[in-house]
């Protein structure tokens, strides 16, 4: 079974998908982490010049890039690896976050990662979160969710997270960043974020994480029973 979880940034896709995976014994795959790992690779290989990336060189080097996941022995947390080396912390930093949408808009990078995601999905029962899972990676997925919430709700969540981490940001800055990312994700030429026709829309603006997980678990169980 493949469960596709797409939607806007800061809708809690990964938090909820991980919990659903645990409850139902599915393998969780974070496809955003794969785009982040390639971005980190491009940074480490000095392929960025400001906002521009050397696409010719990236295309040459990409066949040598392996992105994989490993469970941390003590916590079971999923860690992202680049050519066998754990880069989980590096890919979550601002340097990567500020450039990942540039890498995610390159057609040959998407093709390279989509093939790997499709191979992972063929191996077993997976829940995969991203932007194009139900539309491009697995258009025939048995269950598709599209997660959304108002930009203000999402900006407030992100703002609270950053403040809790000790970052000094204003709510206005964060809201602007959320709106910019929405615009880039929905307007890029290759595989823009769109809702699949057969996706279940989950607006979790007024939902707790537990309610959100329960709704999805129940729906997946119904579908796997053939309803
Ligand atoms: O989910 P995230 O914020 O970690 O994703 C990082 C970036 O990668 C974000 O700009 C959207 C992009 N992305 C994508 O284009 N397609 C996917 N399947 C997953 C993420």
């Amino acid at each position: 079974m493949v469960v596709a979880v797409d939607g806007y940034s800061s809708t809690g896709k990964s938090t909820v998908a991980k919990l659903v995976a645990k409850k139902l014994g599915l393998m969780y795959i974070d496809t955003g982490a794969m785009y982040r790992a390639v971005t980190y690779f491009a940074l480490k290989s000095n392929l960025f010049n400001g906002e521009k990336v050397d696409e010719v060189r990236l295309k040459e080097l990409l066949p040598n890039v392996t992105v994989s996941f490993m469970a941390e022995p003590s916590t079971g947390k999923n860690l992202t690896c680049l050519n066998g080396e754990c880069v989980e912390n590096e890919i979550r930093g601002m340097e990567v976050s500020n450039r990942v949408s540039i890498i995610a808009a390159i057609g040959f990078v998407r093709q390279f990662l989509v093939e790997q995601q499709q191979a992972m999905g063929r191996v077993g029962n997976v829940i995969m979160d991203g932007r194009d899972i139900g539309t491009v990676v697995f258009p025939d997925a048995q269950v598709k969710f599209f997660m959304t919430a108002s930009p203000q709700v999402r900006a407030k969540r992100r703002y609270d997270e950053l403040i809790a981490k000790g970052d000094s940001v204003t709510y206005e800055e964060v809201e602007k960043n959320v709106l910019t990312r929405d615009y880039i994700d929905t307007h890029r030429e290759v595989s823009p974020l769109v809702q699949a026709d057969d996706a279940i829309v989950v607006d979790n603006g007024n939902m707790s994480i537990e309610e959100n997980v329960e709704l999805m678990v129940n729906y997946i169980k119904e579908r796997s029973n053939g309803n």
Side-chain angles (χ1 to χ4, degrees), residues 31-32 35-36 100-101 104 110 130-133 181 185 188:
T31 63
Y35 289 94
R36 287 173 181 270
V100 61
S101 52
R110 299 202 71 86
R131 305 293 191 286
D132 59 343
I133 311 303
R181 290 222 281 163
D185 280 351
R188 66 168 174 240

Side-chain angles (χ1 to χ4, degrees), residues 202-217:
V202 181
D203 183 334
N204 63 17
N206 286 314
M207 245 182 239
S208 67
I209 293 176
E210 294 73 27
E211 286 168 336
N212 194 155
V213 170
E214 196 176 314
L215 181 145
M216 287 167 66
V217 165

Side-chain angles (χ1 to χ4, degrees), residues 6-187:
D6 291 305
Y8 290 99
S9 59
S10 303
T11 44
K13 291 188 299 292
S14 66
T15 307
V16 168
K18 270 182 218 160
L19 291 166
V20 172
K22 209 167 171 189
K23 284 206 168 198
L24 296 177
L26 305 171
M27 182 164 80
Y28 165 67
I29 296 164
D30 175 356
T31 63
M34 299 172 81
Y35 289 94
R36 287 173 181 270
V38 173
T39 307
Y40 180 64
F41 172 82
L43 272 165
K44 276 219 325 191
S45 312
N46 291 318
L47 300 186
F48 277 100
N49 183 0
E51 297 280 287
K52 291 225 172 319
V53 64
D54 183 343
E55 291 194 25
V56 174
R57 189 85 185 109
L58 180 60
K59 199 171 192 172
E60 276 167 16
L61 293 176
L62 208 52
N64 304 321
V65 172
T66 308
V67 182
S68 57
F69 296 101
M70 184 191 81
E72 188 175 46
S74 54
T75 60
K77 200 179 152 216
N78 224 12
L79 303 177
T80 312
C81 306
L82 174 65
N83 292 342
E85 185 198 338
C86 173
V87 293
E88 186 59 34
N89 287 335
E90 291 81 351
I91 65 165
R92 306 292 167 191
M94 285 312 283
E95 233 195 338
V96 168
S97 297
N98 286 338
R99 290 177 176 84
V100 61
S101 52
I102 301 169
I103 294 291
I106 302 175
F108 66 79
V109 173
R110 299 202 71 86
Q111 195 186 342
F112 176 75
L113 292 180
V114 165
E115 279 167 17
Q116 298 187 15
Q117 291 153 12
Q118 289 170 335
M120 289 175 185
R122 278 193 289 269
V123 173
N125 294 326
V126 299
I127 180 164
M128 206 172 264
D129 99 54
R131 305 293 191 286
D132 59 343
I133 311 303
T135 50
V136 175
V137 185
F138 288 108
D140 298 328
Q142 289 87 337
V143 184
K144 299 180 188 178
F145 294 106
F146 189 86
M147 311 244 310
T148 184
S150 74
Q152 290 69 33
V153 165
R154 292 184 283 127
K156 178 72 171 58
R157 284 180 188 154
R158 185 91 189 103
Y159 171 76
D160 289 345
E161 252 172 48
L162 291 168
I163 294 293
K165 267 192 0 191
D167 284 6
S168 65
V169 285
T170 64
Y171 169 81
E172 286 70 27
E173 267 176 79
V174 177
E175 189 187 292
K176 194 167 163 234
N177 181 265
V178 165
L179 291 170
T180 308
R181 290 222 281 163
D182 284 0
Y183 186 86
I184 297 177
D185 280 351
T186 52
H187 285 80

